[in-house]
């Protein structure tokens, strides 16, 4: 990649799991009543057709990984599990009471934190409690994140028996030097063991999460990590750019010196080397940061043009309504967003007061909805059209004018009714989406909000 192009576009920018992005939500026009109304509307429109998605945030971890920007609570006290599960189930009952018919869950994901911090028995109690008030939709996909060091065979068997067929294991990098820097010590043998167990039990999609741009990481580290990963042949691989956001309160990203981080061309080379190896090994690039074998459902959905993206990342299932349960979880009714309280103490207090624990949100305008469709198309299909009134917005001509510089640089192809991202432009998909982000353009951030795009 040309150094000048990389430096030109390597700027802070959102990852676009939503539009508007969370820092640009207009909370002043948001109320819990409006949120509930939008949930009821979206449920009525979609439950009988698609089903709904459910994200459950399980925040507890036994130790701090110093590259992590997730909402978590560090503790070795497993007595916290019971109270948290009770709160989750009570929150679910509140949502269930809003629905006019029995919800059908198309997609269910356990994220964290460390979901496998919880015992298999408590995870079974949680999932069975959810389905006392719901059914699984046809073609459902249930998934969870497992820590290779504490995921037991019993975890995998219990969740498999509850309908889970996809598991994601956090790997990051196999270098001992890198692992020490990010306080995430896990030998290859642990990952190999849980991957083997998952295959033996019958999981149909196993994913490994890798990260490039970590402290002290070298090309040799990337090659070694991907070669080891390929030896286990996961169905999916997430190859994320490390998002260095130490200014965000609650992140653990202070366990190393910034000077140890690969910069600009050096960091991008880590990705390009890794991508080439993955493609040579038969993995196909899907959306941004993701790779999959042809046999995986994500590859199939990408080819069909049905890939979806939401706060859980990329998904082969598309639902209009996503309910987030648990501390800090974000819900999406398509017409509005809502986020739960971000501390456990506030979350528990709201639940005990029989209130939905929502503390902020955003009601999407017609302009927001049009732009959201374009950004979703660009992130999932690398192209978008404006061939009907729902896809047009007043400032579209100005957006296209702003994209002319990227067109000159060979990143996009623009015609009368569409824009397509070129092969050269794929690494800059976030920058291209930023051209559509009117809220970001109208009010540039005064402080650091986003990680670097490249």
């Amino acid at each position: 990649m040309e150094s000048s192009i990389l430096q030109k576009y390597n700027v802070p920018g959102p990852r676009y799991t939503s539009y508007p992005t969370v820092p640009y939500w207009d909370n002043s026009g948001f109320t819990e009543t409006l949120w509930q109304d939008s949930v009821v509307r979206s449920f009525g429109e979609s439950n009988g057709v698609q089903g709904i998605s459910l994200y459950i945030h399980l925040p507890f971890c036994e130790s701090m990984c110093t590259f992590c920007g997730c909402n978590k609570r560090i503790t070795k006290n497993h007595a916290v599990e019971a109270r948290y599960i009770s709160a989750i189930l009570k929150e679910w009952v509140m949502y269930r009471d809003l629905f006019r018919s029995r919800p059908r869950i198309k997609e269910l994901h356990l994220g964290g934190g460390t979901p496998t911090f919880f015992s298999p028995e408590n995870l079974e109690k949680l999932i069975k409690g959810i389905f006392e008030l719901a059914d699984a939709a046809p073609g459902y996909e249930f998934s969870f994140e497992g820590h290779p060091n504490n995921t037991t065979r019993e975890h995998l068997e219990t969740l498999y028996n509850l309908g889970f067929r996809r598991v994601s294991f956090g790997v990051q990098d196999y270098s001992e030097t890198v692992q020490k820097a990010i306080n995430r010590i896990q030998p290859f043998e642990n990952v190999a063991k849980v991957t083997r167990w998952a295959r033996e039990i019958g999981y149909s999609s196993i994913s490994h999460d890798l990260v490039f741009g970590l402290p002290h990481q070298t090309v040799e580290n990337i090659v070694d990590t991907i070669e080891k990963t390929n030896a286990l042949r996961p169905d999916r691989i997430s190859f994320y750019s490390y998002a260095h956001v130490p200014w965000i309160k609650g992140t653990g990203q202070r366990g190393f010196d910034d000077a140890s981080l690969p910069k600009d061309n050096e960091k991008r080379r880590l990705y390009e080397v890794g991508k080439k190896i993955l493609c040579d090994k038969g993995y196909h690039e899907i959306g941004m940061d993701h790779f999959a074998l042809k046999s995986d459902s994500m590859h199939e959905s990408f080819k069909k043009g049905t890939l979806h993206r939401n706060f859980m990342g990329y998904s082969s299932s598309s639902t209009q309504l996503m309910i987030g349960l648990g501390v800090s979880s974000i819900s999406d009714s398509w017409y509005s967003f809502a986020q739960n309280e971000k501390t456990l103490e506030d979350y528990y207090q709201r639940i005990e007061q029989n209130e939905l624990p929502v503390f902020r949100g955003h009601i999407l305008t017609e302009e927001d909805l049009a732009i959201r469709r374009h950004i979703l198309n660009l992130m999932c299909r690398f192209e978008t059209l404006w061939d009907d009134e729902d896809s047009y917005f007043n400032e579209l001509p100005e957006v296209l004018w702003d994209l002319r510089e990227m067109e000159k640089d060979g990143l996009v192809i623009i015609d009368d009714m569409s824009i397509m991202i070129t092969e050269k432009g794929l690494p800059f998909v976030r920058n291209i989406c930023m051209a559509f982000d009117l809220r970001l353009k109208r009010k540039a951030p005064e402080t650091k909000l986003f990680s670097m795009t490249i």
Side-chain angles (χ1 to χ4, degrees):
M1 181 181 295
E2 301 170 35
S3 175
S4 59
I5 292 290
L6 182 66
Q7 292 175 357
K8 181 177 182 178
Y9 292 109
N10 190 25
V11 298
R15 296 186 63 83
Y16 291 110
T17 51
S18 74
Y19 181 81
T21 56
V22 176
Y24 285 90
W25 286 2
D26 179 8
N27 196 59
S28 65
F30 178 85
T31 67
E32 187 173 318
T33 298
L34 288 174
W35 165 243
Q36 292 184 20
D37 289 344
S38 75
V39 167
V40 171
R41 174 187 175 185
S42 188
F43 180 84
E45 293 174 348
S46 65
N47 184 58
V49 181
Q50 303 170 319
I52 71 170
S53 292
L54 199 60
Y55 171 76
I56 303 176
H57 190 73
L58 302 173
F60 302 110
C61 300
E62 288 195 344
S63 62
M64 171 78 80
C65 299
T66 57
F67 71 97
C68 179
C70 300
N71 183 290
K72 66 273 183 187
R73 179 65 63 92
I74 308 302
T75 180
K76 294 185 183 295
N77 176 18
H78 286 263
V80 299
E81 296 179 31
R83 183 185 182 190
Y84 191 75
I85 287 175
S86 294
I88 290 280
L89 293 177
K90 187 171 181 180
E91 184 185 359
W92 177 233
V93 168
M94 293 182 206
Y95 275 108
R96 176 64 181 86
D97 288 345
L98 293 177
F99 305 147
R100 296 174 183 174
S101 59
R102 194 170 173 88
R104 304 187 315 151
I105 299 177
K106 180 68 175 290
E107 184 180 28
L108 170 61
H109 184 69
L110 306 181
T114 306
T116 46
F117 172 98
F118 287 73
S119 70
E121 294 79 12
N122 278 330
L123 290 176
E124 182 174 23
K125 178 181 178 182
L126 171 64
I127 301 304
K128 285 187 172 179
I130 293 292
F131 282 99
E132 284 181 4
L133 302 173
D135 300 312
Y140 66 85
E141 185 174 272
F142 300 166
S143 58
F144 73 98
E145 298 166 11
H147 193 312
N149 286 357
N150 68 11
T151 299
T152 64
R153 188 175 185 112
E154 188 181 359
H155 276 117
L156 290 162
E157 289 175 341
T158 297
L159 290 170
Y160 182 87
N161 292 335
L162 291 166
F164 287 73
R165 295 294 181 270
R166 190 167 76 79
V167 57
S168 174
F169 295 118
V171 174
Q172 284 52 265
D173 188 288
Y174 285 116
S175 161
E176 290 185 10
T177 300
V178 174
Q179 289 186 0
K180 287 178 182 177
I182 63 175
N183 196 35
R184 174 85 173 203
I185 310 299
Q186 56 185 33
F188 172 75
E189 291 72 22
N190 288 8
V191 182
K193 179 176 61 178
V194 293
T195 300
R196 184 182 73 251
W197 284 344
R199 284 232 169 78
E200 290 172 354
I201 290 165
Y203 282 80
S204 58
S205 183
I206 301 168
S207 178
H208 287 187
D209 295 342
L210 312 179
V211 178
F212 68 94
L214 292 169
H216 307 295
Q217 199 174 45
T218 65
V219 168
E220 289 74 23
N221 298 150
I222 289 293
V223 172
D224 179 65
T225 293
I226 292 182
E227 291 289 352
K228 284 186 168 75
T229 299
N230 181 63
L232 301 178
R233 209 62 180 163
D235 304 276
R236 301 180 188 179
I237 294 172
S238 300
F239 192 28
Y240 294 116
S241 169
Y242 166 58
H244 189 55
V245 288
W247 56 84
I248 296 179
K249 182 179 179 180
T251 67
Q253 300 179 351
R254 302 183 189 279
F256 44 83
D257 193 302
D258 285 7
S260 65
L261 295 169
K263 302 292 193 303
D264 298 335
N265 289 349
E266 182 186 3
K267 180 180 179 182
R268 191 63 200 177
R269 186 169 176 240
L270 299 179
Y271 179 81
E272 297 296 345
V273 168
K275 174 184 173 179
K276 184 178 187 308
I277 299 173
L278 289 170
C279 292
D280 289 346
K281 300 295 185 183
Y283 288 92
H284 297 263
E285 191 171 18
I286 309 293
M288 181 182 73
D289 303 335
H290 285 65
F291 296 82
L293 296 174
K294 276 188 175 181
S295 55
D296 191 81
S297 61
M298 182 170 282
H299 180 270
E300 182 181 358
S301 65
F302 180 67
K303 287 298 182 183
K304 288 181 177 178
T306 57
L307 189 68
H308 187 56
R309 185 169 174 83
N310 55 28
F311 288 103
M312 295 186 282
Y314 283 111
S315 170
S316 54
S317 299
S318 177
T319 61
Q320 181 173 307
L321 176 62
M322 185 189 81
I323 299 295
L325 302 178
V327 62
S328 79
S329 284
I330 296 178
S331 297
D332 175 3
S333 71
W334 182 258
Y335 306 108
S336 59
F337 302 122
Q339 184 173 24
N340 281 355
E341 298 285 357
K342 297 180 74 173
T343 70
L344 273 172
E345 292 74 18
D346 290 337
Y347 175 74
Y348 284 142
Q349 182 180 35
R350 296 286 299 279
I351 293 291
E352 288 163 4
Q353 292 171 348
N354 296 310
E355 299 174 357
L356 284 177
V358 169
F359 88 102
R360 66 174 173 179
H362 178 85
I363 307 298
L364 278 78
T365 65
E366 290 300 318
E367 179 188 85
D368 289 338
L369 288 167
I371 294 172
R372 182 181 189 183
R373 292 185 189 98
H374 288 300
I375 288 178
L376 195 59
N377 289 338
L378 290 167
M379 293 296 292
C380 294
R381 290 178 276 284
F382 300 142
E383 61 181 351
T384 192
L385 305 170
W386 45 91
D387 55 351
D388 58 45
E389 62 180 26
D390 288 338
S391 60
Y392 189 86
F393 55 97
N394 290 335
E395 294 186 43
L396 180 60
E398 287 82 355
V399 169
L400 299 179
W401 178 259
D402 290 346
L403 285 165
R404 293 299 176 186
E405 185 71 18
M406 292 186 184
E407 187 178 39
K408 291 178 184 177
D409 288 331
L411 308 185
V412 296
I413 297 172
I414 303 172
D415 63 24
D416 291 342
M417 287 292 174
S418 69
I419 175 174
M420 182 176 70
I421 302 175
T422 65
E423 184 72 24
K424 182 180 179 181
L426 294 183
F428 305 97
V429 61
R430 290 165 69 182
N431 303 79
I432 296 163
C433 289
M434 286 169 66
F436 282 83
D437 192 337
L438 297 188
R439 289 185 178 270
L440 179 63
K441 287 181 176 181
R442 290 166 183 160
K443 186 180 179 183
E446 297 176 358
T447 58
K448 291 182 178 180
L449 291 178
F450 306 112
S451 61
M452 303 300 282
T453 56
I454 310 298

